[in-house]
Amino acid sequence: IRGQHERACQLFREHIAACEEQGYSDEVERGRWALGQLIGGEEGQKLRDAAIRTLTDLGYAQPLADMPTHYPELFTSRASSPSPA
């Protein structure tokens, strides 16, 4: 991610599209959360909030707690700290 922010965002967009095509709704939302984390700001917060709401609606009790397992690179000291939804 470091030094390749735009490429990382593009890869997450591709991941989201591929998961949507295959019907993996939970992975779509995790990808959206990760993209929101990378984008940051108000737009990023909206993506993260929507992803957490949808994952909760899909039956995940604590979706934010699972994010470090899926995207540990977003939880390094250099990456932004996730904002609880």
Side-chain angles (χ1 to χ4, degrees):
I1 294 173
R2 241 178 306 215
Q4 296 189 31
H5 182 263
E6 290 305 315
R7 178 71 178 135
C9 289
Q10 182 57 37
L11 288 172
F12 274 113
R13 286 183 182 100
E14 291 173 13
H15 167 76
I16 292 164
C19 289
E20 282 178 327
E21 189 174 297
Q22 296 299 316
Y24 299 133
S25 55
D26 57 338
E27 284 301 317
V28 168
E29 297 308 323
R30 286 186 196 100
R32 285 190 179 131
W33 182 90
L35 180 60
Q37 185 69 10
L38 287 176
I39 291 171
E42 187 176 327
E43 180 184 359
Q45 187 65 53
K46 286 179 183 179
L47 284 171
R48 290 191 310 268
D49 290 348
I52 294 300
R53 272 193 308 275
T54 302
L55 284 165
T56 301
D57 291 347
L58 289 171
Y60 291 89
Q62 295 182 316
L64 186 59
D66 291 334
M67 292 303 173
T69 302
H70 294 278
Y71 302 112
E73 65 276 16
L74 298 179
F75 290 84
T76 63
S77 60
R78 183 74 174 119
S80 323
S81 298
S83 302

